[in-house]
PDB file of all heavy atoms in Angstrom:
ATOM      1  N   TRP A  74     141.541-129.623 202.156  1.00  0.00           N
ATOM      2  CA  TRP A  74     140.361-130.368 202.564  1.00  0.00           C
ATOM      3  C   TRP A  74     140.082-130.081 204.039  1.00  0.00           C
ATOM      4  O   TRP A  74     140.864-129.411 204.723  1.00  0.00           O
ATOM      5  CB  TRP A  74     140.567-131.862 202.322  1.00  0.00           C
ATOM      6  CG  TRP A  74     141.592-132.520 203.215  1.00  0.00           C
ATOM      7  CD1 TRP A  74     141.392-133.108 204.428  1.00  0.00           C
ATOM      8  CD2 TRP A  74     143.005-132.621 202.961  1.00  0.00           C
ATOM      9  NE1 TRP A  74     142.563-133.583 204.943  1.00  0.00           N
ATOM     10  CE2 TRP A  74     143.574-133.313 204.051  1.00  0.00           C
ATOM     11  CE3 TRP A  74     143.834-132.215 201.922  1.00  0.00           C
ATOM     12  CZ2 TRP A  74     144.932-133.583 204.143  1.00  0.00           C
ATOM     13  CZ3 TRP A  74     145.181-132.502 201.997  1.00  0.00           C
ATOM     14  CH2 TRP A  74     145.718-133.187 203.094  1.00  0.00           C
ATOM     15  N   VAL A  91     163.594-136.001 186.016  1.00  0.00           N
ATOM     16  CA  VAL A  91     164.703-135.934 185.062  1.00  0.00           C
ATOM     17  C   VAL A  91     164.636-137.162 184.153  1.00  0.00           C
ATOM     18  O   VAL A  91     164.367-138.271 184.627  1.00  0.00           O
ATOM     19  CB  VAL A  91     166.072-135.883 185.778  1.00  0.00           C
ATOM     20  CG1 VAL A  91     167.220-136.011 184.781  1.00  0.00           C
ATOM     21  CG2 VAL A  91     166.215-134.592 186.576  1.00  0.00           C
ATOM     22  N   ASP A 147     149.778-162.548 142.136  1.00  0.00           N
ATOM     23  CA  ASP A 147     148.733-163.529 142.419  1.00  0.00           C
ATOM     24  C   ASP A 147     147.427-163.134 141.713  1.00  0.00           C
ATOM     25  O   ASP A 147     146.751-163.977 141.101  1.00  0.00           O
ATOM     26  CB  ASP A 147     148.486-163.640 143.923  1.00  0.00           C
ATOM     27  CG  ASP A 147     149.651-164.287 144.663  1.00  0.00           C
ATOM     28  OD1 ASP A 147     150.468-164.956 144.000  1.00  0.00           O
ATOM     29  OD2 ASP A 147     149.735-164.111 145.893  1.00  0.00           O
ATOM     30  N   SER A 149     147.088-161.083 139.092  1.00  0.00           N
ATOM     31  CA  SER A 149     147.231-161.104 137.633  1.00  0.00           C
ATOM     32  C   SER A 149     147.181-162.531 137.090  1.00  0.00           C
ATOM     33  O   SER A 149     146.628-162.787 136.015  1.00  0.00           O
ATOM     34  CB  SER A 149     148.535-160.417 137.221  1.00  0.00           C
ATOM     35  OG  SER A 149     149.665-161.149 137.688  1.00  0.00           O
ATOM     36  N   ALA A 154     146.447-162.569 133.186  1.00  0.00           N
ATOM     37  CA  ALA A 154     147.200-161.453 132.598  1.00  0.00           C
ATOM     38  C   ALA A 154     148.521-161.333 133.347  1.00  0.00           C
ATOM     39  O   ALA A 154     148.664-160.520 134.259  1.00  0.00           O
ATOM     40  CB  ALA A 154     146.399-160.155 132.690  1.00  0.00           C
ATOM     41  N   GLY A 168     156.342-146.641 160.798  1.00  0.00           N
ATOM     42  CA  GLY A 168     156.682-146.215 162.150  1.00  0.00           C
ATOM     43  C   GLY A 168     157.022-147.396 163.003  1.00  0.00           C
ATOM     44  O   GLY A 168     157.266-148.487 162.512  1.00  0.00           O
ATOM     45  N   GLY A 176     159.939-154.148 177.754  1.00  0.00           N
ATOM     46  CA  GLY A 176     160.541-152.890 177.370  1.00  0.00           C
ATOM     47  C   GLY A 176     160.232-151.734 178.288  1.00  0.00           C
ATOM     48  O   GLY A 176     160.895-150.713 178.236  1.00  0.00           O
ATOM     49  N   PRO A 187     171.767-154.665 191.554  1.00  0.00           N
ATOM     50  CA  PRO A 187     171.133-154.274 190.289  1.00  0.00           C
ATOM     51  C   PRO A 187     170.404-155.465 189.676  1.00  0.00           C
ATOM     52  O   PRO A 187     170.966-156.548 189.551  1.00  0.00           O
ATOM     53  CB  PRO A 187     172.326-153.837 189.419  1.00  0.00           C
ATOM     54  CG  PRO A 187     173.366-153.427 190.399  1.00  0.00           C
ATOM     55  CD  PRO A 187     173.200-154.348 191.576  1.00  0.00           C
ATOM     56  N   PRO A 188     169.131-155.302 189.310  1.00  0.00           N
ATOM     57  CA  PRO A 188     168.378-156.420 188.737  1.00  0.00           C
ATOM     58  C   PRO A 188     168.857-156.737 187.323  1.00  0.00           C
ATOM     59  O   PRO A 188     169.387-155.879 186.622  1.00  0.00           O
ATOM     60  CB  PRO A 188     166.941-155.893 188.717  1.00  0.00           C
ATOM     61  CG  PRO A 188     167.099-154.410 188.607  1.00  0.00           C
ATOM     62  CD  PRO A 188     168.335-154.065 189.397  1.00  0.00           C
ATOM     63  N   SER A 196     159.009-152.640 167.595  1.00  0.00           N
ATOM     64  CA  SER A 196     158.435-153.040 166.319  1.00  0.00           C
ATOM     65  C   SER A 196     158.535-151.886 165.326  1.00  0.00           C
ATOM     66  O   SER A 196     158.076-150.777 165.604  1.00  0.00           O
ATOM     67  CB  SER A 196     156.965-153.437 166.511  1.00  0.00           C
ATOM     68  OG  SER A 196     156.368-153.732 165.269  1.00  0.00           O
TER      69      SER A 196
END
Side-chain angles (χ1 to χ4, degrees):
W74 69 90
V91 172
D147 291 341
S149 65
S196 176

